[in-house]
Structures are given as C-alpha cells and as structure tokens.
Amino acid sequence: IEAEAAEMERGSMLKMEASSNDVDKNKCNFLISYRNTPHSTTGETPAIRMYGRSLRSRLHQIKPVDIQKREDLQTEKEKLLFDRPTREFQDKQPVYVQVSDKTWKPAKILKP
C-alpha cells in the first residue's frame, strides 16, 4: 500500500511540475487534494477522519453552493428577527430604558 501511495505522489508531482516549478507549492497542492479526496476503503477523506471536517481551499471560496448556503442562512436569521412576536406594554407599566451612556434608568410607558 505504501508503494502505491508513493507512486501516486510521484506521478502527481511530475504532473504538477509541468505547470509550475515551485516544489513547495506543488507539494502543498498535492497534500490538500489528497487529504480532501475520499479513501476507497473508508469512504471518508483523511481530513475528516483526522480533523472532523474537510480542509478549505480557494475553490471553497468561489463555489456558488457555499454562497447560496450563506445567503440562505442570512435569510433565515432575518426571518427569525422579523417573525418573533412583538412586545406589548400597558399604560404606566414600569420599564427600564437605556440612555446614551449605556446606563439603564427606570421609566414608565405613556400611551397617547
């Protein structure tokens, strides 16, 4: 198995050398792709098995799926803010009001 992994790494490094002569950059790119590729036996990536999550790359920053998820989460947060029940106060009900210096002062509700 180790011989197969070494051969795979050597083959990948040779392919990367054709596009860039920077050995460190090529090695980093290889390791990220290797660690994010599901293993044939376990079906999980080495990154998920070791860290519990996949490693991020530049591709993750431009994926439309991630942008859509982020927009969906933002929409859900806004919906929660606008859908929560409104508070109702009674006339002369005691409350506390925060003034500009961030201190709270007692007050009463006045309805016209």
Side-chain angles (χ1 to χ4, degrees):
I1 294 176
E2 289 180 22
E4 291 174 13
E7 183 63 31
M8 183 179 75
E9 180 180 2
R10 190 173 79 75
S12 296
M13 293 298 285
L14 288 174
K15 288 178 186 176
M16 287 183 197
E17 278 183 22
S19 62
S20 174
N21 290 331
D22 188 359
V23 176
D24 289 333
K25 181 179 176 185
N26 290 341
K27 192 171 221 175
C28 288
N29 288 337
F30 169 77
L31 289 173
I32 284 182
S33 65
Y34 174 77
R35 291 173 181 156
N36 280 332
T37 303
H39 193 272
S40 61
T41 305
T42 62
E44 290 185 315
T45 67
I48 289 177
R49 292 186 61 91
M50 185 166 189
Y51 302 115
R53 63 177 178 83
S54 63
L55 301 176
R56 293 184 187 162
S57 65
R58 290 184 185 235
L59 182 62
H60 289 91
Q61 295 174 354
I62 61 172
K63 281 175 54 178
V65 175
D66 289 343
I67 294 169
Q68 186 63 40
K69 284 181 185 176
R70 192 176 320 130
E71 288 173 355
D72 290 345
L73 286 174
Q74 183 65 28
T75 304
E76 288 177 23
K77 288 179 185 176
E78 290 172 358
K79 188 172 178 358
L80 287 173
L81 285 174
F82 290 116
D83 287 350
R84 66 180 175 189
T86 58
R87 297 181 68 184
E88 296 198 16
F89 298 98
Q90 302 299 321
D91 194 26
K92 298 183 181 169
Q93 180 180 352
V95 293
Y96 281 89
V97 179
Q98 188 175 16
V99 291
S100 61
D101 61 350
K102 296 189 178 183
T103 59
W104 292 84
K105 295 190 175 188
K108 286 191 178 185
I109 299 292
L110 298 175
K111 290 194 176 184

mmCIF file with all atom_site columns, all heavy atoms in Angstrom, residues 31-55:
data_model
loop_
_atom_site.group_PDB
_atom_site.id
_atom_site.type_symbol
_atom_site.label_atom_id
_atom_site.label_alt_id
_atom_site.label_comp_id
_atom_site.label_asym_id
_atom_site.label_entity_id
_atom_site.label_seq_id
_atom_site.pdbx_PDB_ins_code
_atom_site.Cartn_x
_atom_site.Cartn_y
_atom_site.Cartn_z
_atom_site.occupancy
_atom_site.B_iso_or_equiv
_atom_site.pdbx_formal_charge
_atom_site.auth_seq_id
_atom_site.auth_comp_id
_atom_site.auth_asym_id
_atom_site.auth_atom_id
_atom_site.pdbx_PDB_model_num
ATOM 1   N N   . LEU A 1 31 ? -0.993  17.721 -1.256 1.00 0.00 ? 31 LEU A N   1
ATOM 2   C CA  . LEU A 1 31 ? -1.455  17.284 0.064  1.00 0.00 ? 31 LEU A CA  1
ATOM 3   C C   . LEU A 1 31 ? -2.888  17.713 0.335  1.00 0.00 ? 31 LEU A C   1
ATOM 4   O O   . LEU A 1 31 ? -3.675  16.942 0.903  1.00 0.00 ? 31 LEU A O   1
ATOM 5   C CB  . LEU A 1 31 ? -0.512  17.803 1.152  1.00 0.00 ? 31 LEU A CB  1
ATOM 6   C CG  . LEU A 1 31 ? 0.860   17.126 1.184  1.00 0.00 ? 31 LEU A CG  1
ATOM 7   C CD1 . LEU A 1 31 ? 1.776   17.829 2.182  1.00 0.00 ? 31 LEU A CD1 1
ATOM 8   C CD2 . LEU A 1 31 ? 0.732   15.651 1.509  1.00 0.00 ? 31 LEU A CD2 1
ATOM 9   N N   . ILE A 1 32 ? -3.259  18.920 -0.065 1.00 0.00 ? 32 ILE A N   1
ATOM 10  C CA  . ILE A 1 32 ? -4.646  19.360 0.142  1.00 0.00 ? 32 ILE A CA  1
ATOM 11  C C   . ILE A 1 32 ? -5.600  18.493 -0.672 1.00 0.00 ? 32 ILE A C   1
ATOM 12  O O   . ILE A 1 32 ? -6.634  18.057 -0.161 1.00 0.00 ? 32 ILE A O   1
ATOM 13  C CB  . ILE A 1 32 ? -4.809  20.853 -0.197 1.00 0.00 ? 32 ILE A CB  1
ATOM 14  C CG1 . ILE A 1 32 ? -4.222  21.684 0.933  1.00 0.00 ? 32 ILE A CG1 1
ATOM 15  C CG2 . ILE A 1 32 ? -6.271  21.215 -0.403 1.00 0.00 ? 32 ILE A CG2 1
ATOM 16  C CD1 . ILE A 1 32 ? -4.354  23.163 0.765  1.00 0.00 ? 32 ILE A CD1 1
ATOM 17  N N   . SER A 1 33 ? -5.248  18.237 -1.925 1.00 0.00 ? 33 SER A N   1
ATOM 18  C CA  . SER A 1 33 ? -6.145  17.406 -2.739 1.00 0.00 ? 33 SER A CA  1
ATOM 19  C C   . SER A 1 33 ? -6.191  15.971 -2.210 1.00 0.00 ? 33 SER A C   1
ATOM 20  O O   . SER A 1 33 ? -7.252  15.338 -2.201 1.00 0.00 ? 33 SER A O   1
ATOM 21  C CB  . SER A 1 33 ? -5.732  17.437 -4.206 1.00 0.00 ? 33 SER A CB  1
ATOM 22  O OG  . SER A 1 33 ? -4.470  16.858 -4.368 1.00 0.00 ? 33 SER A OG  1
ATOM 23  N N   . TYR A 1 34 ? -5.064  15.443 -1.762 1.00 0.00 ? 34 TYR A N   1
ATOM 24  C CA  . TYR A 1 34 ? -5.042  14.087 -1.209 1.00 0.00 ? 34 TYR A CA  1
ATOM 25  C C   . TYR A 1 34 ? -5.879  14.000 0.070  1.00 0.00 ? 34 TYR A C   1
ATOM 26  O O   . TYR A 1 34 ? -6.665  13.069 0.244  1.00 0.00 ? 34 TYR A O   1
ATOM 27  C CB  . TYR A 1 34 ? -3.597  13.663 -0.913 1.00 0.00 ? 34 TYR A CB  1
ATOM 28  C CG  . TYR A 1 34 ? -3.505  12.326 -0.214 1.00 0.00 ? 34 TYR A CG  1
ATOM 29  C CD1 . TYR A 1 34 ? -3.685  11.146 -0.921 1.00 0.00 ? 34 TYR A CD1 1
ATOM 30  C CD2 . TYR A 1 34 ? -3.266  12.253 1.157  1.00 0.00 ? 34 TYR A CD2 1
ATOM 31  C CE1 . TYR A 1 34 ? -3.615  9.918  -0.287 1.00 0.00 ? 34 TYR A CE1 1
ATOM 32  C CE2 . TYR A 1 34 ? -3.198  11.033 1.802  1.00 0.00 ? 34 TYR A CE2 1
ATOM 33  C CZ  . TYR A 1 34 ? -3.375  9.870  1.080  1.00 0.00 ? 34 TYR A CZ  1
ATOM 34  O OH  . TYR A 1 34 ? -3.317  8.665  1.712  1.00 0.00 ? 34 TYR A OH  1
ATOM 35  N N   . ARG A 1 35 ? -5.722  14.983 0.940  1.00 0.00 ? 35 ARG A N   1
ATOM 36  C CA  . ARG A 1 35 ? -6.431  14.948 2.223  1.00 0.00 ? 35 ARG A CA  1
ATOM 37  C C   . ARG A 1 35 ? -7.916  15.217 2.088  1.00 0.00 ? 35 ARG A C   1
ATOM 38  O O   . ARG A 1 35 ? -8.691  14.910 2.985  1.00 0.00 ? 35 ARG A O   1
ATOM 39  C CB  . ARG A 1 35 ? -5.784  15.942 3.188  1.00 0.00 ? 35 ARG A CB  1
ATOM 40  C CG  . ARG A 1 35 ? -4.398  15.487 3.604  1.00 0.00 ? 35 ARG A CG  1
ATOM 41  C CD  . ARG A 1 35 ? -3.686  16.520 4.416  1.00 0.00 ? 35 ARG A CD  1
ATOM 42  N NE  . ARG A 1 35 ? -2.343  16.038 4.763  1.00 0.00 ? 35 ARG A NE  1
ATOM 43  C CZ  . ARG A 1 35 ? -1.329  16.832 5.054  1.00 0.00 ? 35 ARG A CZ  1
ATOM 44  N NH1 . ARG A 1 35 ? -1.483  18.140 5.049  1.00 0.00 ? 35 ARG A NH1 1
ATOM 45  N NH2 . ARG A 1 35 ? -0.165  16.317 5.358  1.00 0.00 ? 35 ARG A NH2 1
ATOM 46  N N   . ASN A 1 36 ? -8.339  15.811 0.973  1.00 0.00 ? 36 ASN A N   1
ATOM 47  C CA  . ASN A 1 36 ? -9.762  16.066 0.744  1.00 0.00 ? 36 ASN A CA  1
ATOM 48  C C   . ASN A 1 36 ? -10.403 15.048 -0.201 1.00 0.00 ? 36 ASN A C   1
ATOM 49  O O   . ASN A 1 36 ? -11.572 15.174 -0.537 1.00 0.00 ? 36 ASN A O   1
ATOM 50  C CB  . ASN A 1 36 ? -9.966  17.475 0.180  1.00 0.00 ? 36 ASN A CB  1
ATOM 51  C CG  . ASN A 1 36 ? -9.919  18.524 1.262  1.00 0.00 ? 36 ASN A CG  1
ATOM 52  O OD1 . ASN A 1 36 ? -10.246 18.257 2.417  1.00 0.00 ? 36 ASN A OD1 1
ATOM 53  N ND2 . ASN A 1 36 ? -9.519  19.719 0.911  1.00 0.00 ? 36 ASN A ND2 1
ATOM 54  N N   . THR A 1 37 ? -9.652  14.042 -0.630 1.00 0.00 ? 37 THR A N   1
ATOM 55  C CA  . THR A 1 37 ? -10.178 13.004 -1.519 1.00 0.00 ? 37 THR A CA  1
ATOM 56  C C   . THR A 1 37 ? -10.632 11.805 -0.686 1.00 0.00 ? 37 THR A C   1
ATOM 57  O O   . THR A 1 37 ? -9.878  11.294 0.138  1.00 0.00 ? 37 THR A O   1
ATOM 58  C CB  . THR A 1 37 ? -9.088  12.552 -2.514 1.00 0.00 ? 37 THR A CB  1
ATOM 59  O OG1 . THR A 1 37 ? -8.636  13.690 -3.240 1.00 0.00 ? 37 THR A OG1 1
ATOM 60  C CG2 . THR A 1 37 ? -9.633  11.515 -3.473 1.00 0.00 ? 37 THR A CG2 1
ATOM 61  N N   . PRO A 1 38 ? -11.872 11.333 -0.887 1.00 0.00 ? 38 PRO A N   1
ATOM 62  C CA  . PRO A 1 38 ? -12.354 10.180 -0.116 1.00 0.00 ? 38 PRO A CA  1
ATOM 63  C C   . PRO A 1 38 ? -11.511 8.935  -0.374 1.00 0.00 ? 38 PRO A C   1
ATOM 64  O O   . PRO A 1 38 ? -11.131 8.649  -1.509 1.00 0.00 ? 38 PRO A O   1
ATOM 65  C CB  . PRO A 1 38 ? -13.779 9.975  -0.622 1.00 0.00 ? 38 PRO A CB  1
ATOM 66  C CG  . PRO A 1 38 ? -14.163 11.268 -1.235 1.00 0.00 ? 38 PRO A CG  1
ATOM 67  C CD  . PRO A 1 38 ? -12.908 11.876 -1.761 1.00 0.00 ? 38 PRO A CD  1
ATOM 68  N N   . HIS A 1 39 ? -11.230 8.199  0.686  1.00 0.00 ? 39 HIS A N   1
ATOM 69  C CA  . HIS A 1 39 ? -10.454 6.958  0.598  1.00 0.00 ? 39 HIS A CA  1
ATOM 70  C C   . HIS A 1 39 ? -11.358 5.858  0.074  1.00 0.00 ? 39 HIS A C   1
ATOM 71  O O   . HIS A 1 39 ? -12.539 5.778  0.419  1.00 0.00 ? 39 HIS A O   1
ATOM 72  C CB  . HIS A 1 39 ? -9.917  6.599  1.982  1.00 0.00 ? 39 HIS A CB  1
ATOM 73  C CG  . HIS A 1 39 ? -8.876  5.531  1.953  1.00 0.00 ? 39 HIS A CG  1
ATOM 74  N ND1 . HIS A 1 39 ? -9.200  4.208  1.999  1.00 0.00 ? 39 HIS A ND1 1
ATOM 75  C CD2 . HIS A 1 39 ? -7.528  5.601  1.885  1.00 0.00 ? 39 HIS A CD2 1
ATOM 76  C CE1 . HIS A 1 39 ? -8.091  3.486  1.958  1.00 0.00 ? 39 HIS A CE1 1
ATOM 77  N NE2 . HIS A 1 39 ? -7.058  4.318  1.882  1.00 0.00 ? 39 HIS A NE2 1
ATOM 78  N N   . SER A 1 40 ? -10.814 4.984  -0.757 1.00 0.00 ? 40 SER A N   1
ATOM 79  C CA  . SER A 1 40 ? -11.638 3.937  -1.381 1.00 0.00 ? 40 SER A CA  1
ATOM 80  C C   . SER A 1 40 ? -12.171 2.925  -0.371 1.00 0.00 ? 40 SER A C   1
ATOM 81  O O   . SER A 1 40 ? -13.254 2.377  -0.546 1.00 0.00 ? 40 SER A O   1
ATOM 82  C CB  . SER A 1 40 ? -10.836 3.218  -2.461 1.00 0.00 ? 40 SER A CB  1
ATOM 83  O OG  . SER A 1 40 ? -9.696  2.604  -1.890 1.00 0.00 ? 40 SER A OG  1
ATOM 84  N N   . THR A 1 41 ? -11.438 2.682  0.696  1.00 0.00 ? 41 THR A N   1
ATOM 85  C CA  . THR A 1 41 ? -11.869 1.687  1.682  1.00 0.00 ? 41 THR A CA  1
ATOM 86  C C   . THR A 1 41 ? -12.850 2.272  2.692  1.00 0.00 ? 41 THR A C   1
ATOM 87  O O   . THR A 1 41 ? -13.903 1.705  2.957  1.00 0.00 ? 41 THR A O   1
ATOM 88  C CB  . THR A 1 41 ? -10.651 1.123  2.438  1.00 0.00 ? 41 THR A CB  1
ATOM 89  O OG1 . THR A 1 41 ? -9.725  0.616  1.494  1.00 0.00 ? 41 THR A OG1 1
ATOM 90  C CG2 . THR A 1 41 ? -11.067 0.026  3.389  1.00 0.00 ? 41 THR A CG2 1
ATOM 91  N N   . THR A 1 42 ? -12.498 3.420  3.271  1.00 0.00 ? 42 THR A N   1
ATOM 92  C CA  . THR A 1 42 ? -13.330 4.001  4.329  1.00 0.00 ? 42 THR A CA  1
ATOM 93  C C   . THR A 1 42 ? -14.454 4.872  3.784  1.00 0.00 ? 42 THR A C   1
ATOM 94  O O   . THR A 1 42 ? -15.458 5.066  4.450  1.00 0.00 ? 42 THR A O   1
ATOM 95  C CB  . THR A 1 42 ? -12.480 4.862  5.274  1.00 0.00 ? 42 THR A CB  1
ATOM 96  O OG1 . THR A 1 42 ? -11.910 5.952  4.535  1.00 0.00 ? 42 THR A OG1 1
ATOM 97  C CG2 . THR A 1 42 ? -11.389 4.045  5.933  1.00 0.00 ? 42 THR A CG2 1
ATOM 98  N N   . GLY A 1 43 ? -14.265 5.427  2.586  1.00 0.00 ? 43 GLY A N   1
ATOM 99  C CA  . GLY A 1 43 ? -15.269 6.323  2.023  1.00 0.00 ? 43 GLY A CA  1
ATOM 100 C C   . GLY A 1 43 ? -15.206 7.724  2.617  1.00 0.00 ? 43 GLY A C   1
ATOM 101 O O   . GLY A 1 43 ? -16.020 8.572  2.286  1.00 0.00 ? 43 GLY A O   1
ATOM 102 N N   . GLU A 1 44 ? -14.255 7.962  3.505  1.00 0.00 ? 44 GLU A N   1
ATOM 103 C CA  . GLU A 1 44 ? -14.090 9.276  4.121  1.00 0.00 ? 44 GLU A CA  1
ATOM 104 C C   . GLU A 1 44 ? -12.744 9.854  3.729  1.00 0.00 ? 44 GLU A C   1
ATOM 105 O O   . GLU A 1 44 ? -11.801 9.122  3.424  1.00 0.00 ? 44 GLU A O   1
ATOM 106 C CB  . GLU A 1 44 ? -14.162 9.180  5.645  1.00 0.00 ? 44 GLU A CB  1
ATOM 107 C CG  . GLU A 1 44 ? -15.526 8.862  6.185  1.00 0.00 ? 44 GLU A CG  1
ATOM 108 C CD  . GLU A 1 44 ? -15.522 8.906  7.703  1.00 0.00 ? 44 GLU A CD  1
ATOM 109 O OE1 . GLU A 1 44 ? -14.585 8.357  8.315  1.00 0.00 ? 44 GLU A OE1 1
ATOM 110 O OE2 . GLU A 1 44 ? -16.444 9.495  8.263  1.00 0.00 ? 44 GLU A OE2 1
ATOM 111 N N   . THR A 1 45 ? -12.655 11.169 3.792  1.00 0.00 ? 45 THR A N   1
ATOM 112 C CA  . THR A 1 45 ? -11.380 11.806 3.485  1.00 0.00 ? 45 THR A CA  1
ATOM 113 C C   . THR A 1 45 ? -10.476 11.740 4.713  1.00 0.00 ? 45 THR A C   1
ATOM 114 O O   . THR A 1 45 ? -10.962 11.695 5.850  1.00 0.00 ? 45 THR A O   1
ATOM 115 C CB  . THR A 1 45 ? -11.580 13.285 3.097  1.00 0.00 ? 45 THR A CB  1
ATOM 116 O OG1 . THR A 1 45 ? -12.041 14.004 4.231  1.00 0.00 ? 45 THR A OG1 1
ATOM 117 C CG2 . THR A 1 45 ? -12.561 13.424 1.956  1.00 0.00 ? 45 THR A CG2 1
ATOM 118 N N   . PRO A 1 46 ? -9.157  11.740 4.509  1.00 0.00 ? 46 PRO A N   1
ATOM 119 C CA  . PRO A 1 46 ? -8.249  11.766 5.658  1.00 0.00 ? 46 PRO A CA  1
ATOM 120 C C   . PRO A 1 46 ? -8.461  12.992 6.553  1.00 0.00 ? 46 PRO A C   1
ATOM 121 O O   . PRO A 1 46 ? -8.336  12.899 7.772  1.00 0.00 ? 46 PRO A O   1
ATOM 122 C CB  . PRO A 1 46 ? -6.860  11.789 5.009  1.00 0.00 ? 46 PRO A CB  1
ATOM 123 C CG  . PRO A 1 46 ? -7.045  11.139 3.692  1.00 0.00 ? 46 PRO A CG  1
ATOM 124 C CD  . PRO A 1 46 ? -8.419  11.537 3.252  1.00 0.00 ? 46 PRO A CD  1
ATOM 125 N N   . ALA A 1 47 ? -8.808  14.117 5.955  1.00 0.00 ? 47 ALA A N   1
ATOM 126 C CA  . ALA A 1 47 ? -9.037  15.336 6.753  1.00 0.00 ? 47 ALA A CA  1
ATOM 127 C C   . ALA A 1 47 ? -10.233 15.172 7.685  1.00 0.00 ? 47 ALA A C   1
ATOM 128 O O   . ALA A 1 47 ? -10.186 15.564 8.853  1.00 0.00 ? 47 ALA A O   1
ATOM 129 C CB  . ALA A 1 47 ? -9.247  16.536 5.835  1.00 0.00 ? 47 ALA A CB  1
ATOM 130 N N   . ILE A 1 48 ? -11.310 14.575 7.184  1.00 0.00 ? 48 ILE A N   1
ATOM 131 C CA  . ILE A 1 48 ? -12.496 14.369 8.026  1.00 0.00 ? 48 ILE A CA  1
ATOM 132 C C   . ILE A 1 48 ? -12.185 13.380 9.139  1.00 0.00 ? 48 ILE A C   1
ATOM 133 O O   . ILE A 1 48 ? -12.587 13.577 10.289 1.00 0.00 ? 48 ILE A O   1
ATOM 134 C CB  . ILE A 1 48 ? -13.696 13.910 7.182  1.00 0.00 ? 48 ILE A CB  1
ATOM 135 C CG1 . ILE A 1 48 ? -14.188 15.072 6.324  1.00 0.00 ? 48 ILE A CG1 1
ATOM 136 C CG2 . ILE A 1 48 ? -14.816 13.376 8.057  1.00 0.00 ? 48 ILE A CG2 1
ATOM 137 C CD1 . ILE A 1 48 ? -15.313 14.733 5.387  1.00 0.00 ? 48 ILE A CD1 1
ATOM 138 N N   . ARG A 1 49 ? -11.446 12.324 8.826  1.00 0.00 ? 49 ARG A N   1
ATOM 139 C CA  . ARG A 1 49 ? -11.100 11.340 9.854  1.00 0.00 ? 49 ARG A CA  1
ATOM 140 C C   . ARG A 1 49 ? -10.191 11.944 10.923 1.00 0.00 ? 49 ARG A C   1
ATOM 141 O O   . ARG A 1 49 ? -10.277 11.592 12.088 1.00 0.00 ? 49 ARG A O   1
ATOM 142 C CB  . ARG A 1 49 ? -10.457 10.114 9.231  1.00 0.00 ? 49 ARG A CB  1
ATOM 143 C CG  . ARG A 1 49 ? -11.472 9.323  8.392  1.00 0.00 ? 49 ARG A CG  1
ATOM 144 C CD  . ARG A 1 49 ? -10.901 8.036  7.881  1.00 0.00 ? 49 ARG A CD  1
ATOM 145 N NE  . ARG A 1 49 ? -10.483 7.127  8.924  1.00 0.00 ? 49 ARG A NE  1
ATOM 146 C CZ  . ARG A 1 49 ? -11.252 6.188  9.476  1.00 0.00 ? 49 ARG A CZ  1
ATOM 147 N NH1 . ARG A 1 49 ? -12.494 6.061  9.070  1.00 0.00 ? 49 ARG A NH1 1
ATOM 148 N NH2 . ARG A 1 49 ? -10.772 5.385  10.393 1.00 0.00 ? 49 ARG A NH2 1
ATOM 149 N N   . MET A 1 50 ? -9.306  12.838 10.516 1.00 0.00 ? 50 MET A N   1
ATOM 150 C CA  . MET A 1 50 ? -8.356  13.396 11.477 1.00 0.00 ? 50 MET A CA  1
ATOM 151 C C   . MET A 1 50 ? -8.899  14.636 12.189 1.00 0.00 ? 50 MET A C   1
ATOM 152 O O   . MET A 1 50 ? -8.781  14.763 13.397 1.00 0.00 ? 50 MET A O   1
ATOM 153 C CB  . MET A 1 50 ? -7.052  13.753 10.767 1.00 0.00 ? 50 MET A CB  1
ATOM 154 C CG  . MET A 1 50 ? -5.973  14.223 11.710 1.00 0.00 ? 50 MET A CG  1
ATOM 155 S SD  . MET A 1 50 ? -4.408  14.225 10.840 1.00 0.00 ? 50 MET A SD  1
ATOM 156 C CE  . MET A 1 50 ? -3.293  14.532 12.163 1.00 0.00 ? 50 MET A CE  1
ATOM 157 N N   . TYR A 1 51 ? -9.503  15.567 11.426 1.00 0.00 ? 51 TYR A N   1
ATOM 158 C CA  . TYR A 1 51 ? -9.940  16.842 11.995 1.00 0.00 ? 51 TYR A CA  1
ATOM 159 C C   . TYR A 1 51 ? -11.444 16.958 12.176 1.00 0.00 ? 51 TYR A C   1
ATOM 160 O O   . TYR A 1 51 ? -11.929 17.913 12.765 1.00 0.00 ? 51 TYR A O   1
ATOM 161 C CB  . TYR A 1 51 ? -9.469  18.004 11.114 1.00 0.00 ? 51 TYR A CB  1
ATOM 162 C CG  . TYR A 1 51 ? -7.978  18.052 10.914 1.00 0.00 ? 51 TYR A CG  1
ATOM 163 C CD1 . TYR A 1 51 ? -7.420  17.862 9.670  1.00 0.00 ? 51 TYR A CD1 1
ATOM 164 C CD2 . TYR A 1 51 ? -7.115  18.287 11.987 1.00 0.00 ? 51 TYR A CD2 1
ATOM 165 C CE1 . TYR A 1 51 ? -6.052  17.900 9.474  1.00 0.00 ? 51 TYR A CE1 1
ATOM 166 C CE2 . TYR A 1 51 ? -5.749  18.317 11.798 1.00 0.00 ? 51 TYR A CE2 1
ATOM 167 C CZ  . TYR A 1 51 ? -5.226  18.127 10.546 1.00 0.00 ? 51 TYR A CZ  1
ATOM 168 O OH  . TYR A 1 51 ? -3.872  18.164 10.357 1.00 0.00 ? 51 TYR A OH  1
ATOM 169 N N   . GLY A 1 52 ? -12.188 16.027 11.595 1.00 0.00 ? 52 GLY A N   1
ATOM 170 C CA  . GLY A 1 52 ? -13.638 16.096 11.700 1.00 0.00 ? 52 GLY A CA  1
ATOM 171 C C   . GLY A 1 52 ? -14.265 17.063 10.712 1.00 0.00 ? 52 GLY A C   1
ATOM 172 O O   . GLY A 1 52 ? -15.442 17.382 10.803 1.00 0.00 ? 52 GLY A O   1
ATOM 173 N N   . ARG A 1 53 ? -13.500 17.572 9.757  1.00 0.00 ? 53 ARG A N   1
ATOM 174 C CA  . ARG A 1 53 ? -14.016 18.495 8.738  1.00 0.00 ? 53 ARG A CA  1
ATOM 175 C C   . ARG A 1 53 ? -13.102 18.430 7.528  1.00 0.00 ? 53 ARG A C   1
ATOM 176 O O   . ARG A 1 53 ? -11.974 17.965 7.613  1.00 0.00 ? 53 ARG A O   1
ATOM 177 C CB  . ARG A 1 53 ? -14.069 19.924 9.266  1.00 0.00 ? 53 ARG A CB  1
ATOM 178 C CG  . ARG A 1 53 ? -12.689 20.481 9.608  1.00 0.00 ? 53 ARG A CG  1
ATOM 179 C CD  . ARG A 1 53 ? -12.757 21.923 10.071 1.00 0.00 ? 53 ARG A CD  1
ATOM 180 N NE  . ARG A 1 53 ? -11.457 22.422 10.443 1.00 0.00 ? 53 ARG A NE  1
ATOM 181 C CZ  . ARG A 1 53 ? -10.559 22.906 9.590  1.00 0.00 ? 53 ARG A CZ  1
ATOM 182 N NH1 . ARG A 1 53 ? -10.855 22.962 8.309  1.00 0.00 ? 53 ARG A NH1 1
ATOM 183 N NH2 . ARG A 1 53 ? -9.396  23.332 9.999  1.00 0.00 ? 53 ARG A NH2 1
ATOM 184 N N   . SER A 1 54 ? -13.596 18.940 6.398  1.00 0.00 ? 54 SER A N   1
ATOM 185 C CA  . SER A 1 54 ? -12.740 18.982 5.215  1.00 0.00 ? 54 SER A CA  1
ATOM 186 C C   . SER A 1 54 ? -11.886 20.248 5.264  1.00 0.00 ? 54 SER A C   1
ATOM 187 O O   . SER A 1 54 ? -12.268 21.248 5.871  1.00 0.00 ? 54 SER A O   1
ATOM 188 C CB  . SER A 1 54 ? -13.574 18.954 3.936  1.00 0.00 ? 54 SER A CB  1
ATOM 189 O OG  . SER A 1 54 ? -14.384 20.099 3.870  1.00 0.00 ? 54 SER A OG  1
ATOM 190 N N   . LEU A 1 55 ? -10.728 20.173 4.638  1.00 0.00 ? 55 LEU A N   1
ATOM 191 C CA  . LEU A 1 55 ? -9.840  21.319 4.600  1.00 0.00 ? 55 LEU A CA  1
ATOM 192 C C   . LEU A 1 55 ? -10.322 22.291 3.535  1.00 0.00 ? 55 LEU A C   1
ATOM 193 O O   . LEU A 1 55 ? -10.785 21.890 2.481  1.00 0.00 ? 55 LEU A O   1
ATOM 194 C CB  . LEU A 1 55 ? -8.409  20.867 4.295  1.00 0.00 ? 55 LEU A CB  1
ATOM 195 C CG  . LEU A 1 55 ? -7.811  19.867 5.286  1.00 0.00 ? 55 LEU A CG  1
ATOM 196 C CD1 . LEU A 1 55 ? -6.438  19.428 4.806  1.00 0.00 ? 55 LEU A CD1 1
ATOM 197 C CD2 . LEU A 1 55 ? -7.719  20.475 6.667  1.00 0.00 ? 55 LEU A CD2 1
#
